[in-house]
Amino acid sequence: MSRRFKAVDILLIILTLLPLAAGIVLKIVMMPAGEGIEIAGAHIFFTIGMPLQDLPITESQVNSWLVIISVFWLCLYITHGLKTKAVTRRQHIAEWIIEKTESLVKDNMGEYFSGFAPFIAAVMALSGFSSLLTLIGLYPPTSDMNVVGGWALLVFILITYYKFKCGPLHYLKSFTEPVVFLTPLNVISEVATPVSMAFRHYGNILSGSVISVLVAAALQGLSSMLLGNLPGILGEIPFLQIGLPAVLSIYFDIFSGLLQAFIFAMLTMLYVSGAFPADDYKKRHKNKNGGKIKCLNSQ
Amino acid sequence: MLELAIGIILGCCALGAGCAMIAGIGPGIGEGNAVAKACEAIGRQPESKSEVTTTMLMGCAVAETTGLYALVIAILLIFLAPGRFVDILMNAVR
């Protein structure tokens, strides 16, 4: 059991941290320092001309790619050099993550969907690390409607794919349940699923950052009003900003961000497994294959 | 006259945002009920604390949705709508 770091470990850790450092450098270079309160959307770095519509490369796109690269190297770091006898701490962590995700997916989605574990883990990691980017002062991609909307669209495509498993007729018929005249409401609720998923995630993160900025600005104003008469440089330091923003940050940045990541993954699991008509699928395949069903044991 | 029109636009946007956030009452009451019931359940069966907590957080997040719709509308009204409406007004004046 060697506790020493090897060269590979150090290289992978550096590669993990490099995208984050690149993000900070990019922010310092590209963004002018703002004065006072500043609540703005994602900064547009540059625009690429496209035939139908220009493609703006925004801060949220760049940051989410940085998160993806960083998480990729982090995964390589915790999984390289695996052994059959668990000897290193990072292998324990990797096994714990795998086991937890697989049991979570199996508990919530059933045996048929057990292949979903990597997807769910990826969604959770991307969402959680994106929200945690606020801790190092970068713009979190999850507080951009477009990023989260894209994820919700992906989930919507998955839901529709699993609803189509019993054929298009069955899919269309599922809108007329329980009674025919509820069809418009069913269509609305079908569309409302991705919209509410996107709004939930984006609204939580954005409201957290807006409230943090407002509280920090208010404390700065209060501090300059009360303590502005102190002599010299003492009067310019906003002493009241010490403390309260940190407590708010624990709730809004860490707790709320991670909770939203968990909830997004959880809702993905519930919607996708709920969309799959297990009983009808079983019946249909019994007729087709003469009673043989593969891997549909405990739906 | 133009100043008055712009003032009305800004004021009404702020007023609308405030009115939209009345929807915060609903999720507040709902989540309060959910947490109260979860506390009762934990009191009755302390061994199922972790499951109850997970389910409660899930339910709270889903119940929060209507409040977040209102929040998104309020944010749009404060940060986006004034610029949009003033642009429309300027184009109409020209």
Side-chain angles (χ1 to χ4, degrees):
Chain A
M1 182 165 173
S2 67
R3 288 275 172 88
R4 282 181 298 123
F5 275 108
K6 296 193 183 96
V8 188
D9 294 349
I10 296 170
L11 182 70
L12 286 173
I13 290 176
I14 289 173
L15 283 173
T16 306
L17 295 179
L18 205 61
L20 305 179
I24 295 173
V25 170
L26 205 64
K27 180 169 180 171
I28 293 171
V29 172
M30 301 285 277
M31 305 259 292
E35 286 279 322
I37 322 179
E38 201 177 359
I39 301 167
H43 184 76
I44 296 176
F45 285 136
F46 56 90
T47 313
I48 300 174
M50 284 278 174
L52 280 177
Q53 196 186 3
D54 286 352
L55 175 70
I57 300 296
T58 61
E59 209 179 353
S60 48
Q61 267 163 303
V62 173
N63 282 356
S64 55
W65 274 104
L66 292 178
V67 169
I68 291 169
I69 297 167
S70 182
V71 170
F72 171 73
W73 290 116
L74 185 69
C75 290
L76 272 190
Y77 167 64
I78 61 173
T79 56
H80 81 92
L82 294 182
K83 301 191 181 79
T84 41
K85 275 187 186 175
V87 282
T88 52
R89 237 179 302 174
R90 47 161 221 276
Q91 186 170 348
H92 280 301
I93 294 173
E95 285 177 358
W96 181 80
I97 292 171
I98 300 286
E99 277 169 15
K100 280 287 165 193
T101 331
E102 281 191 342
S103 75
L104 188 73
V105 170
K106 260 181 197 163
D107 287 349
N108 287 303
M109 298 177 85
E111 199 73 30
Y112 181 75
F113 286 103
S114 53
F116 257 71
F119 175 70
I120 298 297
V123 165
M124 257 197 227
L126 184 55
S127 166
F129 281 105
S130 300
S131 302
L132 287 182
L133 270 192
T134 40
L135 290 182
I136 56 170
L138 292 178
Y139 181 85
T142 39
S143 73
D144 190 333
M145 177 79 199
N146 302 314
V147 174
V148 194
W151 301 351
L153 209 61
L154 184 65
V155 175
F156 179 70
I157 291 170
L158 275 177
I159 293 171
T160 316
Y161 173 74
Y162 277 102
K163 282 197 172 174
F164 260 98
K165 274 275 174 177
C166 280
L169 269 182
H170 186 278
Y171 174 72
L172 289 178
K173 209 179 126 234
S174 71
F175 280 108
T176 59
E177 287 177 4
V179 267
V180 179
F181 68 85
L182 284 180
T183 308
L185 288 181
N186 280 331
V187 173
I188 290 173
S189 74
E190 189 74 16
V191 177
T193 306
V195 173
S196 78
M197 276 178 94
F199 273 13
R200 181 178 302 121
H201 200 152
Y202 141 87
N204 266 294
I205 309 292
L206 183 67
S207 66
S209 56
V210 168
I211 292 172
S212 301
V213 168
L214 286 182
V215 167
L219 285 175
Q220 191 177 17
L222 195 68
S223 175
S224 68
M225 199 175 76
L226 292 178
L227 307 171
N229 296 328
L230 289 178
I233 200 166
L234 277 179
E236 291 172 10
I237 304 173
F239 282 107
L240 290 182
Q241 269 188 343
I242 301 169
L244 187 57
V247 178
L248 282 181
S249 169
I250 288 177
Y251 177 75
F252 285 125
D253 292 343
I254 299 179
F255 177 73
S256 184
L258 294 181
L259 185 69
Q260 287 311 312
F262 177 70
I263 283 165
F264 194 88
M266 200 79 181
L267 285 178
T268 306
M269 287 191 277
L270 293 182
Y271 282 137
V272 171
S273 64
F276 182 59
D279 294 340
D280 296 332
Y281 188 73
K282 230 181 216 173
K283 238 181 265 167
R284 197 177 148 96
H285 270 245
K286 218 174 237 170
N287 296 339
K288 262 189 190 169
N289 302 347
K292 271 185 203 168
I293 318 154
K294 47 177 183 177
C295 67
L296 201 71
N297 320 324
S298 63
Q299 255 297 315
Chain B
M1 204 55 205
L2 203 60
E3 286 87 5
L4 183 65
I6 291 176
I8 288 175
I9 287 176
L10 294 181
C12 286
C13 283
L15 207 63
C19 289
M21 283 317 289
I22 293 174
I25 295 171
I29 295 173
E31 284 178 26
N33 277 336
V35 177
K37 291 289 179 192
C39 287
E40 278 175 23
I42 292 174
R44 217 175 293 131
Q45 283 178 311
E47 68 274 6
S48 65
K49 189 184 171 195
S50 63
E51 283 170 36
V52 170
T53 314
T54 316
T55 317
M56 183 200 74
L57 283 178
M58 247 335 267
C60 280
V62 175
E64 222 173 35
T65 310
T66 48
L68 284 166
Y69 288 160
L71 179 81
V72 168
I73 288 171
I75 286 174
L76 291 182
L77 271 176
I78 290 178
F79 293 116
L80 267 182
R84 199 56 69 81
F85 289 149
V86 169
D87 277 357
I88 292 172
L89 179 75
M90 289 305 183
N91 286 334
V93 166
R94 228 177 272 146

